Amino acid sequence: MKDKVALVLGGSGSIGSEIVRLMISRDIKVCATYRQNKAQLEKLQKSNEKKLSVYRMDLSDEASIKNAFDEMHKAYDKIDIVVFAATYPTENKRI
């Protein structure tokens, strides 16, 4: 998996950050997104600078999404793996 690139949407959350760690341990380069908790990913990035790229992305903001993907495209030609670990705050409604 050495030349693979993964995108982890919500990479700063508890599940997302564990997925990021796992992929890094398997020599996969990771693009991880966060909405608010950049600090969690910055800790990981310090020891994995060449394997982890961090991008701010708010899934409720189209401009934020476009900007993050534009930045990823500058850094990588392709994305091989996509993991959706992001959550979005909603009102507590019963379905």
Side-chain angles (χ1 to χ4, degrees):
M1 297 238 138
K2 189 170 184 169
D3 293 322
K4 299 292 183 185
V5 178
L7 167 59
V8 180
L9 297 156
S12 65
S14 56
I15 294 172
S17 61
E18 288 302 315
I19 293 168
V20 168
R21 283 184 184 90
L22 176 66
M23 291 189 173
I24 289 171
S25 74
R26 299 210 172 150
D27 286 328
I28 299 171
K29 292 178 183 168
V30 179
C31 299
T33 69
Y34 70 94
R35 184 170 60 95
Q36 293 179 326
N37 190 7
K38 185 177 182 180
Q40 176 74 15
L41 288 172
E42 285 178 329
K43 289 178 192 175
L44 283 171
Q45 195 174 32
K46 285 181 183 177
S47 58
N48 298 289
E49 193 172 317
K50 293 183 180 182
K51 292 182 185 177
L52 177 59
S53 302
V54 176
Y55 304 91
R56 184 183 181 287
M57 182 187 290
D58 181 345
L59 293 175
S60 67
D61 179 3
E62 190 174 332
S64 172
I65 295 167
K66 182 181 180 333
N67 184 54
F69 275 105
D70 287 347
E71 292 298 313
M72 285 179 229
H73 185 66
K74 289 176 189 174
Y76 301 100
D77 294 337
K78 61 183 176 121
I79 293 176
D80 303 293
I81 303 163
V82 177
V83 177
F84 192 90
T87 60
Y88 187 77
T90 59
E91 292 181 30
N92 188 10
K93 294 182 180 179
R94 291 184 179 215
I95 299 175

